[in-house]
Amino acid sequence: MPDPLTVTGVTVTPVAFPDPPLLNSAGVHQPWALRAIVEVRGTDGLIGLGETYGDAPHLALLHRVAAGLTGLDVFDIAALTRHVEAAVGAADAPDRHGLTGGSSTAKTVARVLSPFEVAFLDLQARAIGRPVYALLGGKARDEVPFAAYLFYKWAAHPGAEPDEWDEAVDPDGIVAQARKMIDRYGFRSIKLKGGVLPPEEEIAAIQALRAAFPEHPLRLDPNCAWTVDTSLRVAEQTAGLLEYLEDPTPGIPGMARVAARAPMPLATNMCVVSFADLPQAVAEGAVGVVLADHHYWGGLAASARLASICETWGIGLSMHSNSHLGISLAAMTHLAAATPHLAYAVDTHSPWQCGVDVVEAPLSIVDGTVTVPDTPGLGVTLDRDALARMHEDYQRCGIRERDDTAYLRQFQPDYEKRRPRW
């Protein structure tokens, strides 16, 4: 019997990359987005990669886990999980932007486990010369569809030069943004991040998008910015326009009240964010689509398990995105490739990176899809020079925790994050 493939070392590197001033119901993106890159080295000399959030509390837990992984069998994900649980203990480090639901120790464990599980799977797959999707059950599709992810945004961060995506604060700006993104990447579905302007103005933006792109499925995500009554009014006025309405109002009971009368499915990445949320959501009929995200569901295997549960209960499946880099895009692509139940185009923030990445050859979005790589592992290789530059940017940028609300208050001191707002 061959010797087991074990961990010989782990490196966690925080990085920062420029982020445009994208508006949401919590505030506005800061000039720098934070991520953490996980490298797991094995006894065969290969390295597995993972990517996750870069906020200071989360980063501290990543380092705590990394310190005790040496000697662990790379194929023993159960042992990895037990180690993460012990290292996290009773810690609770919720996401700082507040756009992915509540917090708990169990959710913190899932967020901390994810990048290590992805890195272990990447290392496993590299060791046997197979792509990661092969470890998740095989390839259900050769190409993964992604959606154009539109945001209301300023032309530039205050005091900076305008970025390449221009201003978008009204329907004309949103349509222009969509046209530019579709011309560049060929997206065949469109999602608008709402919860920023009064509902009537966001309805007008959806109507303008439908007029400009009559064949593209549309989605609207206000991140719980509306009351139940407002959600129902918007749902009625966008009947026939949206393939789904995402998180219009807070909480499973509120979503259930809207879902009972809305003419389109409701989707969520805020009220169903862990396995413990599923029984109530199913019982109350609160959601028709769950947006999986391996970064906070506990990794790729847990997300595949979520897909099976959703299929069992007749719930559709899409995939949530946060500001991310090429390792996450590759992990999302392999997960989507191995998930037959995935019925909707996947969210991605990749266009908002403006070409900045930590991998040598990021997977490309062409005609709205990413071709699933058949090379060993995730199919991406770390760019050491880029990693070093982006770590220097992290050290220089001065941001250690994402806080969209505090950043917006620098320019609008009376701004309050309220859910619901309208």
Side-chain angles (χ1 to χ4, degrees), residues 61-136:
L61 293 174
L62 297 176
H63 284 298
R64 190 187 301 177
V65 169
L69 287 181
T70 299
L72 204 65
D73 186 339
V74 169
F75 283 84
D76 195 346
I77 301 295
L80 169 65
T81 303
R82 290 192 297 271
H83 173 72
V84 171
E85 290 171 343
V88 169
D92 182 6
D95 71 275
R96 292 291 293 124
H97 55 93
L99 299 180
T100 55
S103 65
S104 68
T105 296
K107 292 175 184 177
T108 297
V109 167
R111 281 192 290 270
V112 175
L113 171 63
S114 175
F116 295 104
E117 185 247 24
V118 172
F120 271 45
L121 291 174
D122 186 27
L123 192 48
Q124 289 176 23
R126 290 175 188 272
I128 64 174
R130 300 296 304 277
V132 164
Y133 67 72
L135 302 178
L136 301 174

Side-chain angles (χ1 to χ4, degrees), residues 150-175:
L150 311 182
F151 282 79
Y152 291 102
K153 68 179 291 292
W154 300 332
H157 288 281
E161 292 296 318
D163 61 56
E164 64 178 283
W165 289 103
D166 304 320
E167 182 179 75
V169 293
D170 57 24
D172 288 343
I174 289 295
V175 168

Side-chain angles (χ1 to χ4, degrees), residues 346-364:
V346 176
D347 293 353
T348 181
H349 281 62
S350 290
W352 299 111
Q353 295 166 223
C354 301
V356 177
D357 217 317
V358 291
V359 296
E360 291 180 348
L363 302 184
S364 299

Side-chain angles (χ1 to χ4, degrees), residues 160-239:
E161 292 296 318
D163 61 56
E164 64 178 283
W165 289 103
D166 304 320
E167 182 179 75
V169 293
D170 57 24
D172 288 343
I174 289 295
V175 168
Q177 183 185 109
R179 197 173 302 283
K180 186 172 184 177
M181 200 170 282
I182 290 169
D183 286 347
R184 185 175 298 184
Y185 296 99
F187 291 117
R188 301 168 192 170
S189 299
I190 298 173
K191 173 174 173 173
L192 173 61
K193 177 67 76 178
V196 175
L197 302 177
E200 291 72 21
E201 297 182 41
E202 296 185 354
I203 292 170
I206 290 295
Q207 292 169 336
L209 286 169
R210 171 52 67 236
F213 304 97
E215 303 302 321
H216 283 63
L218 303 178
R219 314 165 187 175
L220 176 59
D221 174 19
N223 284 125
C224 301
W226 305 332
T227 64
V228 168
D229 288 343
T230 299
S231 300
L232 288 169
R233 176 164 53 84
V234 174
E236 179 182 353
Q237 294 183 41
T238 54

Side-chain angles (χ1 to χ4, degrees), residues 39 47 68 80 118 140-141 144 160 173 204 208 215 253 290-291 303 309 317 338 341 345 376 406:
E39 302 174 64
I47 295 176
L80 169 65
V118 172
R141 55 180 57 82
V144 175
E215 303 302 321
V290 169
L291 276 71
S303 297
I309 294 171
L317 192 74
H341 185 55

